[in-house]
Amino acid sequence: GNREDALVWLRFALSAGGDADPFDRLLAEAIVAWSDPDARPVDPRETVRQAAELLDGVDVTGRPLLAVIAPIITLMAGDQERGDAMLAALDESQDPWLRAMAPFARGQIAENLGELGEMATHIDLAIERFRAAGDRWGLAASLSELASLHMFEGDLDAAETALAESERLLGELGSGSPSGMTIMRRADLLTRRGDHVAARDLLQEAL
């Protein structure tokens, strides 16, 4: 959960010599670049295109992170049928974490499309599966999404409950500071409760 430490190790790995999996290197470069607003690519579609090409024919067996990223990149590259099939395969995985990530990814996609009803269905299932798998990071991320849904619905107490548990879980993971999305959702909730000063102070402190 510590973003700063993760970036330090990613930069170290990129600076090391020797051979590396082309997709792993591209993924690491993309994460580092997107962590710095001044270094972000002008046209991220090129990064997506490169990643989709590198993924063609890649065996994701034994590589759970790649198994999750592959369908998302495939969908971003415009191959809806193949991306949907890859997500469906995750639902049938023997790995409980991958089975939890499938509805979480679908929830993210539904959110981007503005389909909040579908998003709610997927996020509820993701929460159920992450709890069963015992993954606090995935559970925290899903609860943050749930808090956002509750705010859309105007149920601020339910949003507070979900967001507070998400923040607690991230703290248990040793996150040095809340994520940008967590801060934004906390500020959003404070604003909706009428505490504009606290929301402003939280955002200014995060800058």
Side-chain angles (χ1 to χ4, degrees):
N2 194 313
R3 178 172 163 277
E4 290 76 15
D5 282 357
L7 289 172
V8 168
W9 285 108
L10 279 174
R11 291 190 179 101
F12 177 77
L14 287 170
S15 68
D19 295 333
D21 182 284
F23 185 85
D24 288 345
R25 179 172 292 280
L26 180 65
L27 178 60
E29 289 172 346
I31 293 172
V32 170
W34 279 91
S35 70
D36 180 359
D38 295 328
R40 289 176 185 171
V42 175
D43 186 358
R45 291 173 297 182
E46 178 60 21
T47 302
V48 172
R49 185 192 63 76
Q50 292 177 32
E53 287 182 358
L54 289 171
L55 280 171
D56 192 25
V58 169
D59 182 5
V60 299
T61 304
R63 302 180 68 181
L65 181 58
L66 184 57
V68 171
I69 291 172
I72 296 172
I73 288 178
T74 301
L75 288 168
M76 290 173 67
D79 193 340
Q80 186 75 34
E81 184 176 353
R82 184 178 174 218
D84 287 342
M86 293 167 83
L87 282 176
L90 293 186
D91 268 320
E92 304 301 322
S93 172
Q94 297 299 310
D95 186 330
W97 184 77
L98 288 178
R99 289 199 302 275
M101 283 300 299
F104 180 75
R106 289 194 182 98
Q108 297 278 293
I109 294 167
E111 181 181 21
N112 289 337
L113 295 174
E115 298 171 352
L116 300 186
E118 284 194 26
M119 176 187 174
T121 299
H122 296 314
I123 292 301
D124 284 344
L125 180 57
I127 288 172
E128 177 185 329
R129 291 182 178 180
F130 279 127
R131 284 196 193 280
D135 176 20
R136 287 178 290 181
W137 179 87
L139 181 56
S142 301
L143 286 165
S144 178
E145 294 294 319
L146 181 62
S148 178
L149 279 167
H150 285 318
M151 282 189 273
F152 285 136
E153 296 165 351
D155 191 343
L156 302 186
D157 289 340
E160 172 62 41
T161 299
L163 190 57
E165 184 179 0
S166 175
E167 291 168 335
R168 176 180 62 77
L169 290 167
L170 290 174
E172 289 176 0
L173 290 171
S175 179
S177 59
S179 69
M181 185 60 72
T182 300
I183 292 170
M184 288 178 62
R185 285 188 172 145
R186 173 57 68 185
D188 187 6
L189 183 55
L190 287 168
T191 299
R192 290 172 187 264
R193 288 193 182 280
D195 197 343
H196 302 285
V197 173
R200 182 194 62 201
D201 290 346
L202 178 62
L203 292 172
Q204 287 181 337
E205 183 180 342
L207 294 176

